[in-house]
Amino acid sequence: MERIKVCLLPLILTACTATPAQEAAQQAPLRIASLNPCSDAILAEVADPAQIAGLSSYSSDPASSSMDIATARRFAALGDSVEEVAAVRPDLVLTTNFMAPASARALERMGMRLERVGMAPSVADSYAQIRQIARIAGHPERGEALVRRIEAALAAAAPPPDAQPIPALVWQSGGMVPGQDTMISQLLARTGFANVAGDMGLKQADLLPLERVLARPPQVILTAGNLHGNEDRLLRHPALASLTGTARARLDPSLLWCGGPTIVRAAERLAEVRRAMTRTTPQSPPLKRRGSISEAPSSSEEGVGGGGRPHNILGAAR
């Protein structure tokens, strides 16, 4: 009996001294499916690839993805149907707050656990989601690493302490704008801009007519629309050429939808635009002008860093 106690003692001590990360990993579901494009991007960062049973079909589509397409396409692309989800046999499903109750009950009857992940309206809410999903995946330390990466990106994108906020309008397809209580509004504030749509009292997905833009022009218009869609004719209206003091720059729409790792790219792009607008040194010329409208360059195109052509104001910039 004494020998058995001696042999078991190391195992008992190991169990008592397990770290929170080890405990989480031991309890983590083997297979996780995500039906939310925002949780897709986070899950891909904090889970082992073998844990991911599938991601939402949105993430495999360049028109709606907020993550790297090649990474998303490594996994099954899932719609919201019970049949598609059941086919990949997940232990846990990350879904939105809008899943049909009948579908949710059907998945739960098949033994799947559901975790609902909504839109994160603030950076703090996004941090909470990252930690939630990392904890579910059994890798809380990866969640903390992602939070630190986002914090570092926001710090790098912050304006000088004495800089005045630049009035900015994020103008989406059909003239929609994000209001004050949105993630992009917070990111504008943290990168040196002021959201004029919020100052006008507009809320998420409100429409801003061209006449109001012309009557109260911002210092920069960040166009976030479909380059080829008819609904975006408003964003390219010839009347905007009369705004001689207004710069325009492309903001990829995918930067507006989610928090998580998307915050890093959004902060980098907004800082790029702000720096282009305030650049005055000889080796870094100020904004180029097209007609009478200033243009903010994008690092993804020629014209940045010297020697290239001017940035197209509606050119892609992720």
Side-chain angles (χ1 to χ4, degrees):
M1 182 62 70
E2 289 302 321
R3 284 188 198 170
I4 293 174
K5 289 180 180 179
V6 171
C7 292
L8 290 177
L9 184 58
L11 299 177
I12 295 171
L13 291 175
T14 299
C16 293
T17 58
T19 66
Q22 289 171 330
E23 291 173 353
Q26 291 165 1
Q27 299 170 6
L30 295 179
R31 290 173 61 76
I32 306 170
S34 172
L35 307 182
N36 179 332
C38 296
S39 60
D40 289 349
I42 297 173
L43 184 65
E45 295 248 353
V46 301
D48 292 332
Q51 289 181 280
I52 302 176
L55 301 177
S56 76
S57 57
Y58 298 105
S59 290
S60 294
D61 183 351
S64 58
S65 182
S66 289
M67 63 180 290
D68 177 66
I69 296 293
T71 299
R73 289 177 177 172
R74 292 170 55 193
F75 306 100
L78 304 174
D80 292 331
S81 72
V82 171
E83 293 79 7
E84 287 180 81
V85 178
V88 298
R89 300 181 179 181
D91 301 303
L92 181 143
V93 180
L94 299 173
T95 185
T96 68
N97 293 324
F98 305 105
M99 173 174 266
S103 298
R105 288 193 295 270
L107 293 175
E108 289 173 334
R109 283 197 298 270
M110 286 186 277
M112 300 174 206
R113 175 182 155 202
L114 301 187
E115 285 281 343
R116 298 185 185 273
V117 182
M119 294 286 289
S122 70
V123 175
D125 289 327
S126 183
Y127 289 166
Q129 284 188 355
I130 291 168
R131 290 177 170 125
Q132 174 194 5
I133 294 171
R135 184 173 60 252
I136 287 170
H139 302 290
E141 75 288 350
R142 296 180 189 174
E144 294 305 320
L146 178 54
V147 168
R148 288 193 298 271
R149 182 153 65 88
I150 294 170
E151 289 177 333
L154 289 172
D162 57 347
Q164 291 297 311
I166 298 172
L169 170 66
V170 177
W171 220 9
Q172 300 168 251
S173 294
M176 284 195 304
V177 294
Q180 196 62 37
D181 298 326
T182 56
M183 174 73 74
I184 190 62
S185 188
Q186 277 206 0
L187 297 183
L188 287 170
R190 295 183 69 158
T191 54
F193 297 93
N195 183 4
V196 300
D199 293 341
M200 291 178 180
L202 299 174
K203 301 187 182 303
Q204 174 75 318
D206 278 351
L207 298 179
L208 180 61
L210 175 64
E211 292 78 7
R212 292 190 68 181
V213 177
L214 297 175
R216 185 183 171 185
Q219 196 169 336
V220 61
I221 297 174
L222 300 166
T223 56
N226 177 354
L227 301 185
H228 307 292
N230 288 332
E231 70 274 19
D232 287 344
R233 288 179 295 176
L234 177 65
L235 308 186
R236 304 189 295 273
H237 197 283
L240 294 173
S242 66
L243 304 180
T244 56
T246 297
R248 281 193 289 174
R250 169 76 173 156
L251 187 67
D252 195 295
S254 69
L255 301 181
L256 307 180
W257 301 329
C258 299
T262 304
I263 295 175
V264 175
R265 294 190 295 116
E268 290 171 349
R269 175 57 179 156
L270 291 172
E272 179 182 46
V273 173
R274 189 198 74 244
R275 289 166 186 153
M277 295 183 67
T278 57
R279 196 175 295 148
T280 57
T281 58
Q283 58 269 40
S284 300
L287 296 179
K288 303 291 184 183
R289 302 182 69 83
R290 177 173 180 168
S292 57
I293 299 180
S294 303
E295 301 177 358
S298 162
S299 60
S300 64
E301 299 189 6
E302 298 178 34
V304 177
R309 57 181 173 80
H311 169 60
N312 186 326
I313 58 176
L314 292 178
R318 292 183 67 84

